[in-house]
């Protein structure tokens, strides 16, 4: 897998917020012979992905509309966008790792985050550090267990995570008696701090993105994940421990979900069955909007951060311009669909 | 030594699940202390009407190896369109809802079939967009259906256990079963789900069939949503993921595999009926919700285990190993 970005234009180079490594089909391009091709070469757009063009158009549209909107380009609004990205973003980074490793998606995220939040609040009396460790451990254990079933038994991730969602939700209601969980003592106020005017979760998100990016690009397990996502059979034949690597991917996902759960708990100071909300789908939407392919083998943590930020920025822009939540959702869906199609077309060009 | 089960899983799973659930349903008087009435049966069929068409729509795409997540969005939109446009004429509302559902399905199917995109991300995007559209149409609030005449008409009892929505749902399954059993289409759909390339080589019109299937799933979901919101005299802009999850459970216990290539409409009916019966058992016995959740988890867990190729390989390997040791043991 080589770095295969042929940046012919400075605009494009600047627009690529992701470094190489994307196993793209744009390494080999038929030389354009038509007049349009010549014109394209003249414009230095030859060999550019439709995906990149699309992303540039969307980003430019946001910038232009933003410039025409009062208060969009302000420090306070930038903070608001970053803050609203942080919770979903943290989970989405974990979801990226799992999607790259070929396990597609999890539909049990909301329930897992809810349970972790409950555990975090119920263990406050042991101290903040202990509560965080317990929350992370439970998130990792619950999610890695699903990863083990998927990795070692090649179970279908969608069916399995639907089942896991029922099981986690059921057990949580059973133990909590279906009531809201309140902490005995509050030790988590520090998590709601805003150093330099940004919520702590934003720093965690940025650190996680950097860590995940490094992990996926520079470690053996990370490289194995791309291989498994690209072609599980080839990975198995090449001696990659598919089961173990899949479990690692899901364990990372579990830790990310748990972090989101901890921040949700600290922010809401109590947890009920509905706390997780639409986290499952929001996270998938962020990953897809970043251009990670659902089939696995392609994508990066940085792209997901970009996708999550783009969704937040567009929602924020629509909000500032007075559009309803419905319109914000509609545009988000259209954006995700657009990116999914563009990613697919650009990665299969030449193959079809 | 290859042992084949007596019945294929697409018959075995729904038959066993439906039998178990039916027995549980018949045993509910032991817990509730009240005898079952025809009204309980009527309510079961109402539950079937609520999820049946959604299950059928999702199921036919799953048989072809796709997964139409957008059905729950089309379901919500269908209900909203029907309520918004059908205040004076209920029929007009249903027609418009169904037309919208069919259009959405056809566009999605066209994209998925022509560009050969995996259906999950595309339909997820559509789902989000449709929820937004539904919410924008209603201002995010539930909309009441004021045409009480139509609501009463729709919930009339037929033969004391059926209503219009449940009869329409059953008719949908009967038509689907007839088409699947009586024409080449059924085999074609299963072939597409089993091995797309081979089915293309064998002459199945893959693209056209897929567009048709997504159109059908959109139509059925919108129809289901319209009937449901008429019956409840209100349209909910965001039904959540629950209807989709229950429809998926209905499909899976109906013998459909997410890998595709397996399943029949009658199995889907059995699956949807099982889910409806479980809901009714819940309502009659008033057992805590988490029992049902854990039961669903267990059911799906069994299906996951049945469908996991890695698990089967592991068992085969284990069996082969024990067989070899047995032979070695026999040697002097």
């Amino acid at each position: 897998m080589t770095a295969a970005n042929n940046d012919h234009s400075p605009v494009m180079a600047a627009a690529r917020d992701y470094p190489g490594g994307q196993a793209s089909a744009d390494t080999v391009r038929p030389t354009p012979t038509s007049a349009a091709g010549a014109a394209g070469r003249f414009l230095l757009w030859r060999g550019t992905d439709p995906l990149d063009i699309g992303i540039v158009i969307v980003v430019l549209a946001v910038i232009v509309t933003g410039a025409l909107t009062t208060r969009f380009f302000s420090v306070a609004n930038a903070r608001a966008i970053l803050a609203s990205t942080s919770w979903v973003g943290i989970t989405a980074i974990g979801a990226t790792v799992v999607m790259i490793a070929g396990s597609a998606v999890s539909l049990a995220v909301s329930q897992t985050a809810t349970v972790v939040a409950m555990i975090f609040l119920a263990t406050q009396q042991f101290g903040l550090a202990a509560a965080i460790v317990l929350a992370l451990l439970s998130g990792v254990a619950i999610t890695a267990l699903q990863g083990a079933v998927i990795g070692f038994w090649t179970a279908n991730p969608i069916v399995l995570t639907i089942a896991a969602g029922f099981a986690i939700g059921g057990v949580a209601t059973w133990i909590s008696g279906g009531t809201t969980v309140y902490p005995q003592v509050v030790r988590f106020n520090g998590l709601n701090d805003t150093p330099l005017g940004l919520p702590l979760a934003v720093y965690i998100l940025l650190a996680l993105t950097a860590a995940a990016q490094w992990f996926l690009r520079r470690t053996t397990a990370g490289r194995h994940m791309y291989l498994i996502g690209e072609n599980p059979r080839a990975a198995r034949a090449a001696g990659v421990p598919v089961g173990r690597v899949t479990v690692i991917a899901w364990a990372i996902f579990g830790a990310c979900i748990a972090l989101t759960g901890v921040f949700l708990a600290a922010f809401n100071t109590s947890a009920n069955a509905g706390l997780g909300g639409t986290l499952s789908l929001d996270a998938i939407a962020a990953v897809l909007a970043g251009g990670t392919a659902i089939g696995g083998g392609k994508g990066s943590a940085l792209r997901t951060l970009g996708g999550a930020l783009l969704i937040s920025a567009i929602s924020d822009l629509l909000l500032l311009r007075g559009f309803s939540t419905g319109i914000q959702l509609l545009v988000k869906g259209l954006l995700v669909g657009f990116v999914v199609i563009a990613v697919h077309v650009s990665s299969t060009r030449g193959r079809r | 030594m290859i042992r084949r089960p007596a019945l294929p899983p697409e018959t075995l799973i729904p038959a066993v699940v439906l039998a178990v659930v039916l027995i549980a349903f018949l045993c509910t008087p032991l817990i509730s202390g009240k005898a079952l009435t025809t009204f309980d049966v009527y309510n079961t069929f109402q539950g079937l009407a609520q999820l049946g068409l959604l299950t059928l729509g999702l199921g036919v795409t799953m048989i072809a190896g796709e997964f139409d997540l957008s059905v729950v969005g089309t379901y919500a939109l269908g209900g909203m369109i029907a309520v918004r446009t059908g205040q004076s004429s209920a029929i007009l509302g249903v027609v418009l809802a169904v037309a919208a559902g069919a259009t959405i399905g056809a566009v999605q199917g066209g994209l998925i079939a022509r560009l050969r995109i995996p259906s999950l991300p595309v339909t997820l995007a559509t789902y989000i967009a449709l929820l937004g559209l539904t919410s924008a149409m209603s201002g995010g609030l539930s909309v009441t259906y004021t045409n009480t005449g139509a609501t009463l008409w729709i919930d009339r009892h037929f033969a004391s256990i059926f209503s219009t929505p449940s009869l329409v749902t059953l008719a949908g399954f009967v038509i689907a079963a007839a088409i699947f059993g009586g024409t080449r289409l059924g085999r074609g759909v299963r072939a597409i789900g089993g091995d797309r390339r081979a089915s293309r080589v064998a002459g199945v019109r893959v693209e056209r069939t897929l567009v048709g299937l997504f159109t059908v799933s959109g139509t059925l979901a919108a129809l289901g949503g319209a009937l449901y919101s008429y019956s409840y005299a209100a349209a909910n802009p965001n039904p959540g993921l629950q209807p989709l999850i229950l429809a998926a459970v209905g499909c899976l216990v109906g013998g459909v595999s997410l890998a595709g290539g397996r399943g029949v409409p009658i199995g889907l009916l059995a699956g949807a009926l099982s889910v409806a019966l479980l809901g009714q058992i819940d309502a009659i016995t008033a057992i805590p919700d988490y029992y049902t959740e854990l039961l669903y988890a267990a059911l799906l867990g069994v299906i996951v285990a049945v469908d996991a190729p890695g698990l089967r390989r592991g068992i085969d390997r284990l069996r082969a190993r024990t067989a070899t040791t047995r032979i070695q043991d026999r040697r002097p």
Side-chain angles (χ1 to χ4, degrees):
Chain A
M1 218 177 287
T2 52
N5 291 338
N6 30 7
D7 299 308
H8 293 299
S9 97
V11 179
M12 292 302 140
R16 273 175 214 267
D17 57 347
Y18 43 91
Q22 156 212 26
S24 59
D26 56 1
T27 30
V28 189
R29 266 296 142 64
T31 322
T33 45
S34 63
R41 204 169 330 150
F42 177 70
L43 289 168
L44 300 173
W45 272 30
R46 186 176 66 100
T48 331
D49 262 281
L51 173 63
D52 292 320
I53 299 170
I55 286 177
V56 169
I57 291 172
V58 171
V59 170
L60 280 180
V62 171
I63 291 174
V64 170
T65 328
L68 297 174
T69 310
T70 35
R71 296 202 311 276
F72 183 74
F73 284 108
S74 64
V75 177
N77 195 45
R79 277 183 192 151
I81 292 175
L82 274 171
S84 67
T85 313
S86 59
W87 294 340
V88 171
I90 290 172
T91 296
I93 294 296
T96 313
V97 176
V98 163
M99 202 182 280
I100 286 172
S103 310
V105 295
S106 166
L107 294 177
V109 174
S110 306
Q111 290 90 338
T112 311
T114 307
V115 166
V116 168
M118 287 177 172
I119 292 171
F120 176 72
L121 291 176
T123 55
Q124 281 297 303
Q125 62 273 26
F126 304 130
L128 180 61
I132 290 179
V133 168
L134 280 172
L136 283 176
L137 281 180
S138 49
V140 168
I142 295 168
T143 314
L145 189 65
Q146 298 165 45
V149 179
I150 291 164
F152 288 108
W153 291 355
T154 45
N156 185 300
I158 297 174
V159 188
L160 181 82
T161 52
I162 292 178
F166 275 124
I168 297 165
V171 171
T173 327
W174 183 14
I175 292 171
S176 71
T179 54
T180 305
V181 176
Y182 295 99
Q184 289 181 355
V185 279
V186 172
R187 299 201 199 280
F188 50 70
N189 281 333
L191 294 177
N192 293 325
D193 278 353
T194 51
L196 302 176
L198 284 171
L200 192 60
V202 172
Y203 297 98
I204 300 284
L205 169 63
L206 296 178
L208 259 181
T209 310
Q213 187 71 15
W214 170 81
F215 172 80
L216 285 168
R217 296 272 181 251
R218 295 271 174 263
T219 64
T220 315
R223 303 312 306 172
H224 280 163
M225 284 172 194
Y226 281 97
L227 182 55
I228 295 171
E230 185 75 40
N231 189 339
R233 221 183 274 178
R236 220 176 276 274
V240 172
V242 173
R244 209 188 313 153
V245 175
T246 308
V247 172
I248 295 173
W250 282 79
I252 294 170
F253 191 16
C256 292
I257 300 171
L259 276 174
T260 304
V262 165
F263 279 113
L264 277 175
F267 186 79
N268 291 290
T269 69
S270 66
N272 63 16
L275 185 70
T278 55
L279 189 62
S280 297
L281 292 186
D282 291 342
I284 301 171
V287 179
L288 292 176
T292 294
I294 190 116
K298 289 183 203 79
S300 76
L302 272 179
R303 277 172 163 255
T304 296
L305 180 64
L309 280 174
L310 190 59
I311 288 179
S312 294
I314 291 177
S315 295
D316 177 89
L317 186 58
L318 292 169
L319 187 72
L320 284 181
R321 296 194 76 90
F323 287 104
S324 66
T325 341
I327 299 291
Q328 290 172 39
L329 263 182
L330 176 65
V331 173
K332 178 172 153 188
L334 293 177
L335 173 76
V336 172
F338 171 78
V339 175
V340 163
I341 292 169
V343 166
H344 182 82
V345 169
S346 80
S347 66
T348 52
R349 231 175 16 161
R351 225 188 291 164
R352 285 183 301 132
Chain B
M1 186 184 70
I2 300 162
R3 274 190 303 169
R4 287 196 184 285
L7 281 169
E10 61 189 15
T11 320
L12 188 67
I13 297 174
V16 169
V17 172
L18 185 59
V20 170
V21 175
L22 204 55
I23 291 168
F25 179 71
L26 294 174
C27 291
T28 47
L30 299 177
I31 298 174
S32 67
K34 277 173 281 182
L36 286 171
T37 61
T38 51
F39 190 62
D40 293 322
V41 182
Y42 172 85
N43 273 336
T44 306
F45 281 112
Q46 286 296 87
L48 176 72
Q50 197 178 327
L51 283 172
L53 293 175
L54 208 56
T55 311
L56 184 58
L58 184 64
V60 291
T61 57
M62 275 168 77
I63 295 172
E66 304 286 345
F67 191 77
D68 188 358
L69 213 151
S70 72
V71 284
V72 65
T74 323
Y75 183 74
L77 183 72
M80 190 56 73
I81 291 180
V83 164
R84 291 302 292 264
T85 61
Q87 297 286 8
S88 51
S89 158
I91 301 289
L92 177 73
V94 172
V95 168
L96 287 176
V98 165
T103 313
I104 292 162
V107 171
Q108 277 196 108
L111 279 173
I112 289 163
R114 302 261 174 257
L115 298 175
R116 299 188 190 173
I117 310 186
S119 52
L120 186 71
V122 177
T123 54
L124 172 76
T126 314
Y127 163 70
I128 298 172
L130 290 180
L131 275 194
L133 186 61
T134 313
S135 172
M137 276 174 71
S138 64
L141 299 171
S142 186
V143 177
T144 319
Y145 188 55
T146 50
N147 190 341
T148 38
T151 300
L152 288 175
W153 183 84
I154 238 169
D155 275 344
R156 271 182 315 166
H157 293 214
F158 291 99
S160 64
I161 54 170
F162 295 117
S163 68
T164 315
S166 59
L167 284 177
V168 169
T169 307
L170 288 171
F173 277 104
V174 169
I175 293 168
I179 293 173
F180 262 66
T183 68
R184 284 197 333 214
L185 197 66
R187 241 173 302 156
V189 172
R190 270 200 295 274
I192 292 172
D195 189 332
R196 194 151 297 181
R197 209 176 287 180
S199 66
R200 195 172 279 128
V201 173
V204 179
R205 288 179 172 145
V206 176
E207 277 75 27
R208 200 183 292 184
T209 313
L210 278 179
V211 175
L213 285 175
F214 276 93
T215 313
V216 165
S217 71
T219 308
L220 291 174
L223 180 61
L227 292 176
Y228 178 65
S229 52
Y230 278 176
S231 171
Y232 277 73
N236 178 359
N238 186 359
L241 265 188
Q242 193 70 1
L244 175 80
I245 301 272
L246 289 181
V249 173
C251 293
L252 293 167
V253 302
V256 175
S257 143
L258 251 181
R262 202 180 76 199
V264 285
I266 292 302
L268 289 172
L269 175 60
L273 200 53
S274 303
V275 173
L277 277 168
L278 278 172
Q280 195 51 32
I281 292 171
D282 250 18
I284 296 174
T285 56
I287 52 168
D289 275 352
Y290 62 82
Y291 276 113
T292 344
E293 289 195 47
L294 292 178
L295 184 69
Y296 280 136
L299 260 180
L300 289 175
V302 171
I303 288 165
V304 166
V306 168
D307 272 346
L311 182 63
R312 269 203 306 276
R313 263 202 307 275
I315 292 172
D316 286 348
R317 218 176 294 144
L318 202 67
R319 200 183 286 159
R321 205 175 300 155
T322 43
T324 338
T325 24
R326 222 175 292 142
I327 292 165
Q328 282 167 346
D329 286 350
R330 241 181 279 156
R331 282 189 192 143

